[in-house]
Amino acid sequence: MSISVGFPNAGGITIGGKSLATINALNDARAEAETQLTTGKEGDSKQVRTGPVGQNPGTETQADDGGNQSITVKMLLKRMKELQEQLRQQQQQLAAAQAASYPTPEAKTTAVMAIQGQIGETNGALMEVTGNLVKELAKGAGSGSVVNTTA
């Protein structure tokens, strides 16, 4: 047994407080941002980069794998690099969302605010990892061991 329901004015339906046009615009913006991320070139002027000024992405200094760092410190440094990369990608998505055209100003605001919320969450996670790393390094510094601060 199935039931079929028809709506005479489907444009007036809202899902989660958002109109169908807003939802479609958000989906289109996300698809466009994903397309730009996957097809973006290294020299693309629209690409947002983070990090030291003038440093090329491939020339960053690598921390040595010396045995003087605890496993916890190594894991925290690895997680920090992952979060920094995630933050960089989210900043690119934000730039793409801000540059994209939307059917309504509300759709653009919603798309931009959603990405800003993700950036805020990533920043929070990055601060938490940084705090834990500082605590862990302080433990090691108190014992008189040498701490490698290159990252």
Side-chain angles (χ1 to χ4, degrees), residues 107-150:
K108 182 173 187 171
T109 301
T110 303
V112 168
M113 287 179 65
I115 296 170
Q116 287 174 336
Q118 292 173 354
I119 288 173
E121 289 175 10
T122 304
N123 274 330
L126 192 55
M127 286 191 294
E128 183 178 349
V129 168
T130 303
N132 290 336
L133 182 60
V134 167
K135 287 178 190 175
E136 199 62 34
L137 291 174
K139 285 181 194 176
S143 66
S145 65
V146 177
V147 176
N148 180 6
T149 59
T150 59

Side-chain angles (χ1 to χ4, degrees), residues 6-77:
F7 294 101
N9 184 7
I13 297 174
T14 60
I15 300 172
K18 297 175 185 157
S19 70
L20 185 60
T22 302
I23 292 171
N24 288 337
L26 288 172
N27 290 338
D28 293 344
R30 172 171 272 161
E32 182 178 333
E34 288 173 358
T35 302
Q36 286 180 356
L37 284 175
T38 57
T39 61
K41 296 182 179 110
E42 193 64 32
D44 192 2
S45 64
K46 293 182 180 178
Q47 190 173 29
V48 177
R49 292 194 177 109
T50 61
V53 176
Q55 182 178 4
N56 293 332
T59 61
E60 61 226 12
T61 58
Q62 299 291 324
D64 66 6
D65 291 331
N68 62 347
Q69 292 181 340
S70 72
I71 294 172
T72 306
V73 170
K74 290 178 185 178
M75 289 175 56
L76 287 170
L77 287 171

